[in-house]
Amino acid sequence: MHLFLRRNKNPKKATIGVLDIFGFESFTTNSLEQLCINYCNEILQRQFNSAVFMKGQEEYEREGIDWDFVSYPDNRSVLDLIDSGKPSIFNHLADQSKLPRATDKGFASAIYKSFKTNKHLEATNQQVTNLKFSVAHYAGLVEYDAKGFLNKDRDELPKGAAEMLFSSSNEFIKELAAIISNPSSSESIAGWANSTSSVKKRMGSSRDTISAKFRRQLRGMRQKIDSMNPHFVRCLKPNDELVPDYFDPVMIVDQLRSGGVVEAVRISRTGYPQRFSFSSFVDRYWMLGCEVVGQTPVTKELVEALVTVIGFDGVQVGKTTVFLRQQKSERLETLRRQRVNSSVIRIQAICRGYIAHKLYRKSLESIVQVQCYIRRMTSIAKVNRIRRQQVEEQAAMIIQCAVRCKKARSVLEGRRVRRQQLEEQAARESLEQAARKTPDLESSDTTVSIPSTTELATEAAVSPLTKSAAPSLVDEKVPPASVSDASKKVYKKKPNHIVGDGTIDSIKEKMEKGSFTYMKDTGVW
């Protein structure tokens, strides 16, 4: 498949042409069809060589670089053998087709005689006997059978069919018959309805052969290819079994060799296959010479300085283009890839460092916040624990104080009771002493004055006594010594019968007055 691009005068429009042809054909029996197809492939191969090699070397000369001429296979002699030369296969075929009594044997004999010394045409004795010949195409040697060449080249309409079409009363049918009989006339299509004389004129003209039409169309195609920018796409047949996902290596290599791809790659690698404009070269490889590439405009001096910094000897700088050999280009691409990878790694390291530092700062802030929260909670718990301990200590102190106060009160109460008992004992002793000094208590009522007990009673009033404790002053089992036995008995039976209300207040009041009255009839004081 071949693609052709042509830019029109209108910049908004472009023409794309697609040429899809068969590859080289070499069957068991090859005839005129295979010769035409292989001739077309020879022409396209020359176009390919011209686009890849010839124009490349012309560009070397135009750019003024040092280069050695690279030889490549030229199939010009094969094209001359088939068509371009004065004696050629197609010329002999056209001459034989014009002769009314020409035969395939005469056509083969003319070929054998004309190209007896041509190295691209071979014919052994056996091939001559069988009317065969071989042509050494660039893809390989192909054997052709001359039998049937003339009939296929003439492509005449049967006489009966032509007479039937011309005998029609329809003018369109007649014109169609004229076109079929003589399709080479360029006026037959445009002016078929002008007059019948033009039809007769076209009928009388000579008819073009198949090879002549093919050669004319092929020349027009070559002119279009030369005026366009061709792109070649090689199609390869993977296998003869027509099954998917299976590649026959031998078959593919044979197709690559026959298509001239292997030779084209070999020759291309010996020259300068990689080419860059100054701006493209600087844009692609500036990272290999950052110290010389700045904001200055791209000039030849800048490109030469960049090439000097890179230090490659397989690079040549032309007037507008930088040429690189294949090995140097691959090495340059390796250096560029290494520099880009190292730069990418450095950029990634910086970015990852920034991200990691940012995450670290964020984590650090989070850790500080968590630590502050934990320390706050720990401090709160500690304060609560201290407060609880203080409360417990205060409660313990209060309890201890209460217990100690209770114990102290008990001790004080015991001491008070003891002191009261001592006071009561002292009061009784005073009473006994007063009773002893009384002359006769039983005969009359005698008022005894006890002046010595006032101080004792006053002291007893300082320590308050309960009302229940008052009878204890006279709750003594031993009565006074001066009292009679009857009065002692009464005293023992009724120890609480004391003058007044029987409380300590009444006793205190009596004691302050300094006198007690002994009731003789009752036997009590």
Side-chain angles (χ1 to χ4, degrees):
M1 183 183 294
H2 307 275
L3 305 179
F4 307 102
L5 304 179
R6 179 175 61 188
R7 181 68 63 180
N8 293 338
K9 294 182 180 179
N10 189 350
K12 296 183 179 180
K13 295 182 180 180
T15 302
I16 300 177
V18 180
L19 174 63
D20 187 4
I21 65 170
F22 290 100
F24 271 90
E25 293 185 354
S26 178
F27 304 126
T28 304
T29 301
N30 300 290
S31 187
L32 179 63
E33 302 93 325
Q34 284 71 39
L35 180 62
C36 292
I37 291 174
N38 293 341
Y39 172 58
C40 179
N41 280 280
E42 287 283 353
I43 291 178
L44 293 176
Q45 181 64 27
R46 180 168 179 79
Q47 293 292 127
F48 175 75
N49 293 338
S50 175
V52 175
F53 306 119
M54 294 177 62
K55 291 183 179 179
Q57 296 185 8
E58 291 176 359
E59 186 177 4
Y60 297 160
E61 294 179 353
R62 185 172 59 253
E63 291 289 333
I65 66 172
D66 297 333
W67 64 284
D68 296 330
F69 181 80
V70 179
S71 61
Y72 57 90
D74 190 3
N75 59 346
R76 182 67 187 176
S77 57
V78 180
L79 296 177
D80 293 339
L81 171 65
I82 298 174
D83 181 29
S84 301
K86 190 173 183 179
S88 63
I89 296 176
F90 280 147
N91 289 338
H92 284 294
L93 183 61
D95 293 340
Q96 294 293 327
S97 297
K98 293 177 182 179
L99 299 177
R101 296 184 179 181
T103 60
D104 296 330
K105 184 176 181 181
F107 165 68
S109 299
I111 291 176
Y112 298 149
K113 183 178 180 180
S114 299
F115 306 108
K116 186 175 182 180
T117 59
N118 195 311
K119 62 179 181 180
H120 294 286
L121 190 140
E122 298 178 1
T124 61
N125 294 331
Q126 186 178 0
Q127 289 177 334
V128 171
T129 303
N130 296 326
L131 301 179
K132 296 180 179 180
F133 60 92
S134 298
V135 178
H137 295 284
Y138 80 93
L141 190 65
V142 180
E143 184 184 56
Y144 297 96
D145 190 353
K147 298 176 182 178
F149 261 58
L150 293 179
N151 291 332
K152 292 178 180 180
D153 188 45
R154 287 169 182 165
D155 193 23
E156 293 179 347
L157 186 68
K159 185 178 291 185
E163 293 176 355
M164 181 184 66
L165 292 174
F166 282 119
S167 63
S168 176
S169 60
N170 193 323
E171 295 296 332
F172 176 74
I173 302 268
K174 291 182 180 180
E175 181 67 19
L176 183 62
I179 294 172
I180 294 173
S181 300
N182 187 16
S184 61
S185 177
S186 59
E187 299 177 356
S188 60
I189 297 176
W192 64 273
N194 293 335
S195 62
T196 56
S197 61
S198 62
V199 176
K200 295 178 180 179
K201 180 180 179 180
R202 287 192 294 272
M203 288 175 61
S205 62
S206 60
R207 174 182 174 82
D208 285 342
T209 61
I210 293 294
S211 60
K213 291 187 290 185
F214 181 78
R215 292 158 63 190
R216 184 173 62 251
Q217 294 174 0
L218 201 57
R219 282 193 295 270
M221 185 192 70
R222 291 180 63 180
Q223 293 176 358
K224 289 183 178 180
I225 293 176
D226 292 336
S227 63
M228 298 181 183
N229 184 18
H231 299 269
F232 300 91
V233 180
R234 295 290 186 180
C235 300
L236 302 177
K237 186 177 180 180
N239 56 74
D240 290 329
E241 288 78 7
L242 303 179
V243 294
D245 298 332
Y246 172 66
F247 294 89
D248 187 355
V250 177
M251 182 177 181
I252 292 175
V253 171
D254 183 63
Q255 293 181 73
L256 292 175
R257 286 199 180 100
S258 63
V261 177
V262 176
E263 188 68 16
V265 171
R266 184 189 67 81
I267 296 174
S268 178
R269 292 175 68 91
T270 59
Y272 296 92
Q274 300 297 332
R275 302 163 191 176
F276 297 93
S277 63
F278 287 168
S279 58
S280 300
F281 184 79
V282 173
D283 290 341
R284 186 166 185 81
Y285 300 109
W286 64 269
M287 70 285 300
L288 300 178
C290 300
E291 57 274 10
V292 298
V293 179
Q295 299 297 329
T296 58
V298 179
T299 59
K300 183 176 181 180
E301 291 74 15
L302 179 62
V303 175
E304 290 177 348
L306 180 59
V307 172
T308 303
V309 171
I310 294 174
F312 277 0
D313 55 354
V315 181
Q316 290 201 34
V317 181
K319 297 178 181 179
T320 59
T321 308
V322 180
F323 297 87
L324 294 90
R325 293 189 183 276
Q326 185 64 31
Q327 295 180 352
K328 303 302 179 181
S329 176
E330 294 174 356
R331 177 60 179 164
L332 199 61
E333 286 294 324
T334 302
L335 292 177
R336 178 182 178 274
R337 184 168 57 253
Q338 292 176 356
R339 181 63 60 85
V340 170
N341 291 339
S342 62
S343 301
V344 168
I345 292 173
R346 183 173 179 81
I347 294 172
Q348 289 179 347
I350 294 173
C351 294
R352 290 172 180 172
Y354 171 75
I355 295 172
H357 182 70
K358 189 174 180 180
L359 292 177
Y360 171 75
R361 293 295 299 272
K362 187 175 181 181
S363 302
L364 190 61
E365 293 176 358
S366 302
I367 290 171
V368 171
Q369 292 179 358
V370 172
Q371 287 178 348
C372 291
Y373 178 76
I374 293 174
R375 288 170 181 170
R376 177 175 173 271
M377 298 304 296
T378 305
S379 300
I380 292 174
K382 185 176 180 180
V383 169
N384 292 334
R385 185 172 62 255
I386 293 173
R387 288 178 178 175
R388 188 167 54 251
Q389 290 178 357
Q390 291 177 354
V391 171
E392 291 176 356
E393 290 177 357
Q394 291 178 359
M397 291 175 64
I398 293 173
I399 295 173
Q400 290 176 358
C401 182
V403 172
R404 289 171 182 173
C405 289
K406 184 177 181 181
K407 288 182 179 181
R409 283 195 297 270
S410 299
V411 173
L412 292 174
E413 184 68 22
R415 291 178 181 179
R416 185 184 63 77
V417 171
R418 181 62 180 168
R419 187 171 59 250
Q420 185 178 0
Q421 290 176 356
L422 293 175
E423 292 175 354
E424 291 178 355
Q425 184 179 359
R428 281 195 299 271
E429 290 177 355
S430 300
L431 290 175
E432 289 177 357
Q433 290 177 3
R436 290 190 192 100
K437 294 178 180 182
T438 303
D440 190 5
L441 295 176
E442 293 180 357
S443 61
S444 62
D445 293 332
T446 307
T447 300
V448 181
S449 179
I450 309 174
S452 62
T453 59
T454 303
E455 187 177 357
L456 181 61
T458 304
E459 183 180 358
V462 177
S463 298
L465 300 174
T466 59
K467 294 182 180 182
S468 61
S472 63
L473 293 174
V474 291
D475 194 15
E476 187 65 38
K477 299 297 177 72
V478 181
S482 59
V483 181
S484 62
D485 295 335
S487 63
K488 290 179 182 179
K489 187 176 181 180
V490 175
Y491 183 83
K492 290 180 180 180
K493 290 181 180 180
K494 297 179 180 180
N496 294 328
H497 292 183
I498 303 175
V499 178
D501 55 4
T503 61
I504 191 62
D505 294 334
S506 61
I507 297 173
K508 181 180 178 181
E509 184 180 357
K510 296 293 185 179
M511 291 176 67
E512 288 178 352
K513 292 180 178 180
S515 61
F516 283 90
T517 302
Y518 179 73
M519 304 303 293
K520 187 177 181 180
D521 54 352
T522 59
V524 297
W525 291 90

